[in-house]
Amino acid sequence: MTLKIQSKAPLFGLTGGIASGKTTVANMFAEFGVAVIDTDVIARAVVEPGEPALDEIRRVFGSEVIQSNGALARKRLRAIVFSDDGLRKKLESMLHPRIRAEADRLAAEAISDYHIVVVPLLAESPMKTDMDRILVVDCSEEIQLVRLLERDAESEDQARRIIASQVDRSTRLAMADDVVSNEGDLSATRQQVTELHTLYLSLAADSVTT
Ligand code: ATP
């Protein structure tokens, strides 16, 4: 399945490293009434019990990745695919088309001048080509680490490995049309989002008239 997202409103992809502040920034856009499509939320929904993707995961990875209540044992699955690139790719090939199809459905339904699509691993995703523009939420790896450890009970070692497994900061910044620096306080971030919202509204208006 190689669906391409079809949306009338422009799609602006929002990405950034783990714990960089993607959700924080996306919520600020949502406060302006912008439709936010979060592929992380979709990724969780497509593996809910009863969804075909969960049955496929059970077939490929075995019942040890399913909890006794039928839900996916995320940590166990994460540990398995983290140590095996082939299995990670296999899992991605099972999930990505479904996530993209659902994002497509939500984008077609959404009503706003432009849509923000949150894709954590956009650099590695075919969804990159669906985006009219790419916004990177940026902060240093040290800040990512501090925020990650404050939020989740990961070990520092594991947190560092997750950060190291993602594309590096300069690769991410190289694909950015726009950057929100999220190293300061929330009001500094909100100021940047406000300015981008003004820009995005004018780009959306241009795309209607051209
Ligand atoms: P993930 O990759 O895990 O989905 P994320 O990129 O969506 O994370 P957030 O959840 O928005 O990141 O932020 C990570 C943590 O850092 C959260 O606990 C959030 O409250 C905090 N945070 C985000 N931005 C700031 C900021 N400017 N100042 C202080 N804390 C912040």
Side-chain angles (χ1 to χ4, degrees):
M1 205 184 332
T2 50
L3 271 176
K4 185 165 166 28
I5 293 186
Q6 311 286 336
S7 166
K8 289 199 193 81
L11 295 177
F12 299 137
L14 187 161
T15 192
I18 188 164
S20 58
K22 297 178 295 297
T23 307
T24 304
V25 169
N27 287 342
M28 291 176 181
F29 279 103
E31 285 167 21
F32 286 120
V34 176
V36 173
I37 297 162
D38 188 335
T39 58
D40 243 4
V41 173
I42 298 173
R44 283 195 289 275
V46 299
V47 295
E48 286 287 316
E51 292 295 325
L54 190 62
D55 293 334
E56 213 174 319
I57 289 171
R58 187 202 310 266
R59 275 200 301 279
V60 173
F61 293 91
S63 50
E64 69 265 26
V65 299
I66 309 294
Q67 302 177 48
S68 51
N69 66 2
L72 181 64
R74 282 167 203 288
K75 278 200 169 159
R76 227 166 295 153
L77 183 62
R78 184 146 45 123
I80 293 171
V81 298
F82 227 77
S83 54
D84 187 323
D85 238 31
L87 286 177
R88 182 175 58 79
K89 290 206 172 88
K90 174 89 189 151
L91 180 66
E92 283 171 359
S93 73
M94 286 153 54
L95 297 182
H96 283 180
R98 293 186 162 103
I99 295 169
R100 204 176 186 188
E102 179 61 3
D104 186 24
R105 194 185 68 75
L106 292 173
E109 258 182 28
I111 297 167
S112 62
D113 294 310
Y114 65 91
H115 307 334
I116 292 283
V117 187
V118 183
V119 188
L121 303 178
L122 187 59
E124 299 100 314
S125 165
M127 283 177 76
K128 197 161 56 168
T129 58
D130 297 333
M131 303 305 156
D132 294 289
R133 211 170 164 89
I134 293 176
L135 166 59
V136 169
V137 179
D138 178 64
C139 68
S140 71
E141 291 192 355
E142 282 315 302
I143 294 180
Q144 271 180 281
L145 188 66
V146 169
R147 290 186 183 152
L148 191 52
L149 291 174
E150 267 172 13
R151 193 191 54 190
D152 300 325
E154 312 264 12
S155 71
E156 180 170 338
D157 185 47
Q158 192 182 5
R160 282 191 190 279
R161 276 194 292 135
I162 294 172
I163 292 171
S165 74
Q166 298 190 336
V167 295
D168 61 25
R169 190 179 180 188
S170 58
T171 306
R172 220 179 272 120
L173 287 172
M175 69 175 188
D177 296 294
D178 308 298
V179 177
V180 166
S181 168
N182 189 33
E183 295 198 322
D185 61 19
L186 290 174
S187 68
T189 300
R190 191 179 300 280
Q191 176 64 34
Q192 297 170 71
V193 173
T194 304
E195 284 164 18
L196 276 175
H197 177 58
T198 305
L199 170 67
Y200 288 174
L201 282 177
S202 74
L203 291 172
D206 286 350
S207 77
V208 171
T209 52
T210 52

